[in-house]
């Protein structure tokens, strides 16, 4: 099912009679509702950006992922290590979860140790074919009525049909679409059950009943323009009324039909007209029971009453011609029965059951799936079969199968049982099947999986003239248990060798051509003018899948076993569920997980001896009954001539031999252990998350969104281990975590420390990193992996609130440095940015709303016969498209407004005008006030400015709460918080140029309450001058509280205290002069910026040395802090340009360097966050300039400092940066390339450092607000000052002051070096 279709699930018409939508979660956690499919995924785990199964197939063969992205290149640099399953089993048995989890910190390839393999090329390991099972049947009638449901008996007191007409919206399974002889889109309606079968009604085209019509094929029959198979709600209601009509004519139970054609046709009027849906004041989900005679009468009603009922229907029912051009045909569908077939000593009973089950005279087609188990037996003892017993059944025996023309008869009495190597000497019967000469008496049944690297051998065709062999049948591989190359396979056909055997079976049952054709016609399968039965066989293979029977066993009852459902994610995400149904769903899931997490339940289910582990080969076939010879159109003939021969074919040497080559055998009971132990690193990590958060879950605390998303990715990874389906992997998000990169390319998951600190994994702690979480480039919102899980479990509103909360908190944490630079109050800056983020969601709502409305209005004009009308419609849609592309769509900028006017209106008397709101011009504060006031209303979605059906309401509510929290933390009194929120939205609107907005309709003085919902063609002008309002600090001073006064006093005391906390990012360089007395490091100092990646201990020691020795009043330390803020302000433009053309004369070096631009490099990570730079630049400078630091001690000892340089160079913090910061000089040309400290780049002497520090301090104190700008120009250069001014780290002068020159630098002497380094 496509992602698009799933976005609109379920296809349930909103009830119009108070019946209400079904109050159930829409997740796939119930019983089977489709034939078993190894590729099926729960709806809640589908994603809009999945990996493809072709990615998995390509990765079977050694290669590295294309390094077109930074995170992929970094992934490729990691070495792949091998991990044996035996090691994982030991970790699992010993409960060493920390060690298991730590395996995720690097790339691994999982290997299955030889001790678990069974050598299938030994005399005592032999294949076993069987048992066989019927797992799916689909019957389609050949005429109008319910023939597909009628048995071939007249009396059966156990036989019953249950009609459930309240379930007409149920969807026909996607994987049963190709088994129908017509396209089901818009044609299928669920009726109920026939015994254990589903009973459906299909409205087929009338051409379907003419079997001689050359267009009577699924490809050529008329198709309906529907997205899904269900009947449209109106057509379903019509068929319900037809059923009511027939049942009333039958006088069945209490059913009457007082109004045969209710208008308007709604569920409410249907319930008023008939009791088929239930009584008007009772339950509406009525079940109608039909005995066998009742069903025959209902079928007869279809046969005799349909045409008359359609003819009498009102014109409004027939105007779309659906009723007149289509007719109802019954279909039955049964899956998951897993019934044994062709069981020894039960053949006669089985044959009789097939005969009684259906009357095939009016069946058009039967589709069915037959599954055969194939495994290896490890035989301990053999029993020889007497030769007389063999020859009694097989008078003639051969030395080779029937497909070998060189085969010869053999005399069994002269033939040894075993060859020299102990292998049985094979013999074959007339049909080419192997005849066993001995049978196992004691044996073990081995488990088996497919070798996915060789599975192509099953689907390849014959060699062409050039010796090339191509795959004849497309197939898809699904690796299991993180092995990468062992698993399941699914194909869109059956194995070519098997298809040849099917063709032989078909030849024996199909009608002869002379029965239906003129003798002189030469049969040509490509001749389109020939009837259908001349162009296709009666029996053909439709599809196939091969999978381990354990996968089938754990999904016998439910569609998916619990490990596949994302249950832990839904628990973590549902703590804030507000609806009654949402809380009920959440409580049920919490109780479920509290009694045992899904993977623990699975482990319990597959533990113990006797677990099924054989390979299950399942083929699906289509049998066109109309093409069978008349004498074979009965159940017993189909059983004898179709079912049994198909199953027996699996034993033929031509089929078994290639299967043996691709089948990997394992010792008994190993495969369940493989599932449990291979996934242990992931399940242990899920356990750890659950243990950490279970108490918060039970207390219904709000969970961290990053934690929810991370657990969602882990559960998707676990689902992949059980299914191998890459569609469960969110490509954009999970590639960046390396989870899906590891799964696809190595088979085993891997975790990047960009998302979770590797140190926290190895010590059993969990630290999910929110900083740097990837965002959608089109919406700038953080990427998510739990959307469908939350929407289908708790509703779309729940997810919208969750996403809004995440987006706002994420935006605040990652606020750009240049956001609202004119606001000095940091709390108000953050509030304004939060409001801006939410208003961009409002923009999206407005764009989508206007676009949808105008498409409805203009689309019909595109087909108008008048060319001028068509051209006008196209022009208006083009203007609409241009307006939608505008970043500020609500501004009065000429291009923006002109496109909006052109799209929305036609010129009146040569002039475009929008209909203005009756409110007239209003100030922007009115919009902000209305937004805040209406957001708390229960009917907010139908009030301006909120667009009906939009997302902004949910985002606005979260944003307002967040801004109030910001205000509270800033000391704003409760009574002043509303003005604070309004001010934040006002300033955001000013920045985004919100000049007008769509509004509610103007009053028309009609009776009744006027509509308040926003419309597309009435706009409120926001151009009025607002009332004079003081700066927000004044707003607060008018409402001073004791708490606020205390807060302000504490801030003043802290600022004056040399040991008081201070922020380098808040101070920047604009007010750096105010902290020259500080002796403490800024609050941004954090050693974890350098200690989290397993760096050598000497690096961490160096930073601890700096922290312990720091004194901000020392010239070197103060310049280091000044330089760190300079670097933070330059980000991400921290790099030099290309230095290839540097001067060769040393006297030109300084001028050249000061004139260099500061540039950014797109593919360099870690150059956007300021915190690490504050720490690392301070630590780098002091460590290299203080002779007592661990780094300088290592320099003197000539120790290896490779890790020190690589750690800092990764962020462009290197020797050349010190030159650019004015703290060092380049001595040689190599200083522009791979500069070596003290050789190519030399530090300034301490006396020069002190001179420069004095001048920087002078400029800072004397320059006022321009002091920082002057100081940067002096120390670093004008280019750096310009970048810092653009990033609002300094205030730029219009005309810079004359430069103050120090005396020219003198050549360094040996004494200078000793002064600096004290060697």
């Amino acid at each position: 099912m496509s992602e698009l279709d799933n976005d609109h699930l379920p296809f349930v018409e909103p009830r119009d009679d108070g019946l209400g939508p079904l109050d159930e979660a829409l997740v796939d956690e119930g019983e089977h509702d489709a034939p078993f499919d190894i590729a099926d995924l729960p709806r809640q785990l589908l994603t809009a950006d999945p990996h493809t199964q072709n990615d998995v197939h390509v990765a079977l063969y050694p290669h590295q992922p294309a390094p077109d992205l930074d995170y992929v290149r970094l992934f490729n640099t990691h070495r792949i290590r091998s991990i044996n399953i035996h090691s994982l089993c030991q970790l699992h048995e010993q409960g060493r979860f920390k060690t298991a989890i730590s395996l995720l910190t690097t790339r691994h390839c999982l290997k299955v140790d030889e001790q678990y393999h069974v050598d299938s090329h030994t005399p005592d390991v032999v294949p076993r074919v069987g048992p066989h099972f019927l797992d799916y049947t689909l019957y389609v009638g050949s005429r109008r009525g319910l023939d597909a449901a009628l048995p071939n008996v007249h009396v059966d007191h156990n036989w019953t049909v249950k009609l459930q007409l309240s379930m007409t919206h149920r969807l026909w399974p996607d994987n049963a679409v190709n088994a129908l002889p017509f396209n089901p889109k818009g044609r299928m309606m669920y009726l109920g059950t026939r015994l254990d079968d589903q009973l459906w009604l299909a409205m087929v085209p009338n051409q379907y009943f003419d079997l001689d019509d050359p267009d009577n094929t699924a490809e050529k029959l008329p198709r309906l323009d529907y997205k899904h198979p269900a009947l449209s709600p109106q057509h379903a209601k019509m068929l319900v009324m037809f059923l009511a009509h027939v049942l009333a004519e039958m006088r069945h139970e209490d059913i009457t039909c007082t109004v045969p054609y209710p208008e308007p046709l709604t569920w409410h009027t249907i319930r008023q007209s008939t009791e088929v849906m239930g009584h008007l004041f009772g339950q509406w989900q009525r079940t109608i029971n039909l005995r066998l005679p009742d069903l025959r009468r209902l079928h007869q009603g279809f046969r005799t009453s349909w045409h008359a009922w359609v003819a009498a229907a009102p014109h409004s029912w027939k105007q779309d011609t659906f009723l007149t051009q289509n007719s109802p045909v019954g279909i039955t569908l049964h899956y998951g029965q897993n019934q044994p077939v062709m069981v020894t000593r039960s053949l006669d009973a089985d044959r009789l059951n097939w005969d009684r089950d259906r009357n095939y005279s009016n069946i058009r087609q039967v589709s069915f799936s037959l599954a055969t188990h194939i495994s290896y037996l490890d035989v301990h003892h053999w029993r020889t079969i007497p030769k007389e017993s063999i020859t009694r059944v097989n008078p003639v025996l051969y030395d080779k199968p029937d497909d070998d023309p060189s085969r010869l008869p053999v005399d069994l009495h002269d033939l040894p049982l075993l060859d020299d190597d102990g292998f049985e000497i094979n013999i074959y019967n007339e049909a080419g099947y192997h005849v066993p000469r001995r049978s196992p008496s004691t044996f073990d049944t081995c488990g088996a999986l497919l070798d996915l690297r060789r599975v192509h051998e099953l689907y390849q065709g014959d060699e062409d003239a050039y010796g090339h062999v191509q795959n004849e049948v497309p197939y898809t591989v699904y690796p299991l248990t993180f092995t990468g190359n062992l698993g399941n396979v699914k194909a869109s056909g059956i194995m070519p060798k098997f298809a040849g055997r099917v063709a032989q079976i078909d030849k024996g049952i199909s009608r002869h051509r002379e029965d239906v054709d003129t003798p002189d016609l030469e049969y040509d399968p490509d001749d389109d003018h020939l009837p259908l039965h001349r162009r296709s066989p009666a029996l053909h293979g439709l599809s196939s899948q091969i999978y381990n029977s354990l996968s089938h066993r754990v999904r016998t009852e439910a569609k998916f076993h619990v490990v596949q459902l994302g249950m832990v994610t839904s628990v973590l995400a549902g703590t804030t569920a507000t609806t009654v149904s949402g809380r009920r769903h959440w409580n049920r899931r919490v109780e479920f997980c509290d009694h045992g997490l899904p993977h623990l339940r699975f482990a319990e289910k597959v533990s113990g001896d006797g677990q099924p582990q054989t390979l299950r080969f399942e083929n699906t076939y289509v049998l066109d009954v109309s093409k069978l010879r008349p004498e074979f159109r009965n159940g017993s003939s189909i059983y004898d001539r179709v079912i049994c021969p198909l199953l027996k074919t699996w034993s033929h040497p031509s089929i078994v031999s290639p299967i043996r080559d691709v089948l990997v055998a394992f010792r008994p009971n190993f495969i369940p252990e493989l599932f449990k132990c291979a996934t242990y690193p992931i399940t242990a990590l899920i356990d750890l998350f659950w243990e950490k958060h279970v108490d918060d879950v039970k207390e219904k605390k709000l969970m961290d969104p990053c934690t929810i998303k991370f657990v969602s990715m882990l559960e998707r990874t676990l689902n992949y281990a059980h299914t191998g389906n890459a569609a469960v992997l969110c490509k954009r998000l999970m590639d960046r975590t390396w989870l899906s990169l590891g799964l696809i390319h190595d088979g085993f998951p891997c975790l990047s420390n960009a998302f979770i600190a590797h140190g926290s994994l190895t010590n059993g702690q969990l630290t999910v990193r929110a900083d740097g979480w990837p965002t959608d480039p089109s919406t700038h919102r953080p990427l998510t992996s739990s959307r469908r899980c939350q929407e289908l479990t708790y509703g779309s509103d729940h997810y919208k609130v969750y996403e809004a909360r995440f987006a706002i908190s994420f935006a605040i944490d990652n606020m750009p440095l240049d956001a609202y630079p004119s606001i000095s109050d940091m709390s108000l800056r953050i509030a304004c940015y939060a409001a801006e983020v939410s208003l961009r969601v409002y923009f999206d709502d407005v764009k989508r709303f206007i676009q949808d409305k105008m498409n409805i209005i203009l689309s019909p004009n595109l087909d108008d016969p008048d060319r001028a009308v068509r051209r006008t419609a196209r022009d208006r849609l083009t203007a609409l498209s241009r307006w939608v592309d505008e970043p500020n769509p609500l501004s009065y900028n000429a291009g923006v407004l002109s496109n909006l006017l052109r799209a929305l209106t036609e010129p009146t008397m040569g002039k475009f005008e929008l209909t203005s709101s009756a409110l007239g011009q209003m100030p922007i504060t009115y919009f902000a006030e209305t937004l805040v006031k209406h957001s708390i209303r229960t009917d907010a979605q139908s009030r301006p400015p909120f667009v009906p059906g939009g997302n902004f309401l949910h985002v606005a509510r979260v944003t307002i709460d967040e801004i109030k929290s910001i205000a509270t933390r800033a000391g704003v009194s409760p009574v002043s918080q509303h003005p604070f929120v309004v001010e934040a939205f006002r300033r955001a609107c000013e920045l985004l140029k919100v000049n007008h907005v769509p509004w509610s309709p103007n009053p028309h003085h009609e009776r009744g309450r006027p509509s308040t919902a926003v419309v597309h063609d009435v706009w409120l002008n926001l151009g009025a001058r607002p009332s004079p309002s003081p700066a927000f600090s004044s707003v607060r001073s008018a409402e001073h509280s004791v708490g606020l006064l205390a807060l302000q006093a504490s801030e003043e005391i802290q600022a004056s205290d040399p040991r008081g906390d201070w922020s380098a990012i808040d101070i920047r360089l604009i007010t750096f002069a105010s902290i020259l007395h500080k002796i403490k490091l800024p609050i941004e100092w954090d050693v974890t910026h350098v200690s989290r990646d397993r760096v050598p201990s000497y690096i961490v020691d160096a930073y601890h040395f700096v922290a312990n020795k720091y004194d901000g009043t020392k010239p070197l330390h103060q310049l280091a802090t000044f330089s760190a803020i300079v670097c933070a302000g330059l980000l991400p433009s921290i790099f030099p340009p290309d230095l290839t053309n540097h001067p060769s004369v040393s006297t030109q070096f300084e001028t050249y360097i000061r004139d260099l631009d500061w540039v950014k490099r797109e593919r360099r990570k870690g150059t956007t966050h300021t915190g690490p730079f504050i720490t690392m630049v301070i630590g780098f400078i002091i460590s290299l300039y203080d002779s007592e630091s661990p780094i300088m001690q290592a320099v003197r000892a000539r120790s290896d400092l490779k890790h020190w340089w690589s750690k800092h160079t990764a962020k462009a913090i290197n020797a050349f940066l010190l030159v650019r910061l004015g703290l060092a000089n380049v001595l040689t040309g190599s200083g522009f390339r791979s500069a070596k400290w003290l050789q190519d780049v030399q530090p300034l002497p301490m006396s020069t450092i002190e001179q420069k520090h004095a001048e920087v301090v002078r400029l800072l104190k004397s320059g006022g607000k321009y002091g920082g700008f002057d100081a940067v120009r002096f120390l670093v250069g004008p280019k750096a000052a310009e970048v810092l001014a653009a990033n609002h780290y300094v205030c730029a002068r219009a005309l810079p002051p004359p430069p103050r020159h120090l005396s020219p630098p003198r050549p360094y002497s040996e004494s200078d070096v000793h002064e600096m380094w004290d060697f």
Side-chain angles (χ1 to χ4, degrees), residues 788-858:
R788 297 202 58 75
C789 176
Q790 295 193 50
E791 286 184 335
L792 295 175
T793 309
Y794 305 115
S796 59
D797 285 353
H798 176 91
Y799 177 76
K800 288 175 182 177
V801 172
Y802 160 86
E803 185 189 35
R805 186 178 293 113
F806 188 23
I808 294 300
S809 62
F810 180 84
I812 291 173
D813 292 341
N814 295 271
M815 185 177 74
L817 299 175
D818 59 351
Y820 301 90
S822 62
I823 302 175
S824 59
D825 185 336
M826 181 58 69
S827 59
L828 184 57
R829 285 181 61 203
I830 296 173
C832 291
Y833 185 67
E836 178 189 336
V837 172
S838 70
L839 286 170
R840 293 193 184 279
V841 178
Y842 175 63
F843 286 180
D844 293 340
D845 281 358
V846 171
K847 288 177 179 179
R848 184 167 52 250
F849 178 67
I850 300 298
Q851 196 169 31
D852 290 347
K853 291 293 184 182
M854 296 313 300
N855 279 332
I856 293 173
I857 294 170
L858 297 176

Side-chain angles (χ1 to χ4, degrees), residues 892 916-924 926 995 1020-1025:
Y892 277 165
S916 298
S917 170
L919 295 174
Q921 276 195 347
M922 301 298 289
I924 195 68
Y926 175 80
N995 297 123
L1020 176 65
N1021 183 299
L1022 300 175
R1025 183 181 298 275

Side-chain angles (χ1 to χ4, degrees), residues 191-265:
L191 289 183
T193 58
R194 169 215 188 256
L195 301 177
D196 291 331
D197 297 359
Q198 291 182 9
L199 178 58
W200 293 76
L201 210 57
M203 288 293 288
V204 301
N206 291 334
Q207 298 94 311
Y208 169 86
F209 303 109
D210 184 1
L211 295 180
D212 291 327
D213 187 337
D215 292 337
N216 192 352
T217 65
E219 295 76 23
K220 292 189 176 182
L221 284 172
R223 299 188 174 205
L224 299 177
D225 187 18
Y226 280 73
K227 292 183 178 180
H228 54 86
L231 284 177
S232 73
Q234 288 302 99
H235 293 157
K237 292 169 189 170
M238 293 176 188
L239 282 189
V240 167
M241 287 308 303
F242 172 71
L243 288 166
H245 167 74
V246 176
L247 291 169
E249 291 294 314
M250 291 167 49
R251 306 295 187 261
H252 184 72
E253 297 180 350
D254 62 344
I255 296 173
T256 60
C257 189
T258 57
V259 181
Y261 308 101
E263 291 189 286
L265 183 58

Side-chain angles (χ1 to χ4, degrees), residues 407-521:
R407 72 172 182 166
L408 297 171
V410 296
D411 185 350
L412 186 60
H413 294 86
D414 297 333
L415 190 68
L417 176 63
L418 306 176
D419 63 14
D420 294 339
D421 295 321
F423 288 91
E424 180 180 320
I425 298 176
N426 293 328
I427 57 175
Y428 304 88
N429 64 13
E430 186 74 34
Y433 289 90
H434 170 245
V435 178
R437 304 176 64 187
R438 56 180 181 168
S439 63
S441 56
T442 60
F443 56 87
D444 289 324
T445 302
C446 303
L449 289 171
L450 290 174
D451 182 347
L452 300 182
R453 291 196 177 105
R454 298 193 60 184
V455 76
H456 64 275
E457 297 171 14
L458 298 180
Y459 298 100
Q460 62 190 16
D462 297 326
E463 287 188 3
D464 59 19
Y466 302 98
H468 300 150
V469 179
Q470 300 292 333
N471 288 334
E472 194 169 298
V473 176
Y475 68 93
T476 312
V477 296
Y478 297 88
L480 299 179
T481 66
F482 299 151
T483 57
N485 64 335
L486 299 174
N488 302 331
V489 68
K490 181 181 177 182
S492 57
I494 61 176
M495 294 184 294
K497 290 185 180 298
F498 202 103
R501 296 277 162 180
V502 171
Q504 293 181 19
I505 297 172
D506 174 72
K507 186 176 181 180
I509 59 175
S510 295
R511 298 173 64 185
H512 296 301
R513 290 198 300 274
E514 55 268 21
D515 295 341
V516 292
D517 306 322
T518 53
D520 56 326
L521 277 177

Side-chain angles (χ1 to χ4, degrees), residues 978-1004:
H978 176 76
F980 185 89
V981 174
V982 171
E983 179 69 6
F985 274 102
R986 182 192 71 79
R987 293 192 183 230
C989 287
E990 296 286 359
L991 179 77
L992 297 174
K993 302 178 182 178
V994 179
N995 297 123
H996 64 162
V997 292
W999 210 251
S1000 55
N1002 292 325
H1004 295 293

Side-chain angles (χ1 to χ4, degrees), residues 79-313:
R79 182 168 62 91
I80 304 175
R81 302 175 181 177
S82 292
I83 178 71
N84 294 327
I85 188 62
H86 178 68
S87 300
L88 283 173
C89 289
Q90 287 184 318
L91 295 177
H92 182 261
E93 291 169 6
Q94 298 166 8
R96 294 163 57 192
F97 66 92
K98 292 182 182 179
T99 306
I101 292 173
S102 67
L103 294 173
L104 300 173
T105 62
T106 189
R107 296 175 65 180
H108 283 93
C109 179
L110 182 61
K111 303 293 184 183
V112 179
D113 311 68
E114 285 300 322
Q115 68 188 77
Y116 300 111
H117 284 270
V118 173
D119 187 355
S120 60
H121 297 91
T122 60
D124 294 324
V125 178
V126 294
R128 178 176 69 178
V129 178
H132 311 282
F133 301 91
L134 175 69
D135 205 41
Y136 152 77
T137 54
L138 184 151
Y139 290 85
V140 185
S142 62
R143 60 179 183 171
R144 186 175 64 254
L146 302 174
D147 289 295
L150 292 173
N152 194 26
V153 295
H154 292 283
V155 178
D156 187 338
H157 64 279
N158 293 318
W159 206 92
T160 183
V161 162
K162 297 180 181 296
L163 300 183
Q164 296 171 298
L165 301 182
S166 61
M167 299 288 290
T168 56
H169 60 269
R170 186 170 184 171
L171 290 184
W172 179 259
D174 276 357
N175 53 4
V177 167
N178 294 333
L180 293 172
F182 54 88
N183 187 287
K185 295 295 179 69
R187 300 187 179 278
M188 307 300 293
M189 186 176 89
Y190 179 77
L191 289 183
T193 58
R194 169 215 188 256
L195 301 177
D196 291 331
D197 297 359
Q198 291 182 9
L199 178 58
W200 293 76
L201 210 57
M203 288 293 288
V204 301
N206 291 334
Q207 298 94 311
Y208 169 86
F209 303 109
D210 184 1
L211 295 180
D212 291 327
D213 187 337
D215 292 337
N216 192 352
T217 65
E219 295 76 23
K220 292 189 176 182
L221 284 172
R223 299 188 174 205
L224 299 177
D225 187 18
Y226 280 73
K227 292 183 178 180
H228 54 86
L231 284 177
S232 73
Q234 288 302 99
H235 293 157
K237 292 169 189 170
M238 293 176 188
L239 282 189
V240 167
M241 287 308 303
F242 172 71
L243 288 166
H245 167 74
V246 176
L247 291 169
E249 291 294 314
M250 291 167 49
R251 306 295 187 261
H252 184 72
E253 297 180 350
D254 62 344
I255 296 173
T256 60
C257 189
T258 57
V259 181
Y261 308 101
E263 291 189 286
L265 183 58
T266 66
W267 290 120
H268 184 71
T269 57
I270 288 176
R271 291 188 68 189
Q272 289 180 322
S273 305
T274 178
E275 295 85 1
V276 292
M277 302 291 293
H279 294 283
L280 187 59
F281 301 104
Q283 284 290 331
W284 67 278
Q285 292 179 322
R286 175 174 182 169
T287 296
I288 301 171
N289 295 302
L290 300 176
R291 302 159 300 172
L292 182 52
D294 300 326
L295 182 67
R296 291 191 182 280
R297 293 175 63 195
L298 180 62
H299 164 71
Q300 195 59 33
F302 276 86
R303 301 290 306 145
T304 59
S305 301
W306 173 256
H307 288 307
W309 182 84
V310 171

Side-chain angles (χ1 to χ4, degrees), residues 734-802:
M734 294 184 70
D735 273 9
R736 285 169 171 83
T737 64
W738 293 3
L739 280 170
S740 55
L741 288 178
L743 291 171
I744 297 294
H745 298 286
D746 306 332
F748 199 82
C750 179
L751 271 174
S752 166
N753 66 354
F755 284 80
I756 189 164
H758 283 175
S760 72
L761 286 182
T762 55
N763 62 24
Q765 302 299 315
L766 295 173
T767 305
V768 179
R769 292 175 171 167
D771 56 319
W773 194 276
T775 58
D776 187 319
S778 61
T779 64
H780 305 291
R781 297 183 198 172
L783 294 176
T784 179
S785 60
S786 62
R787 174 178 179 176
R788 297 202 58 75
C789 176
Q790 295 193 50
E791 286 184 335
L792 295 175
T793 309
Y794 305 115
S796 59
D797 285 353
H798 176 91
Y799 177 76
K800 288 175 182 177
V801 172
Y802 160 86

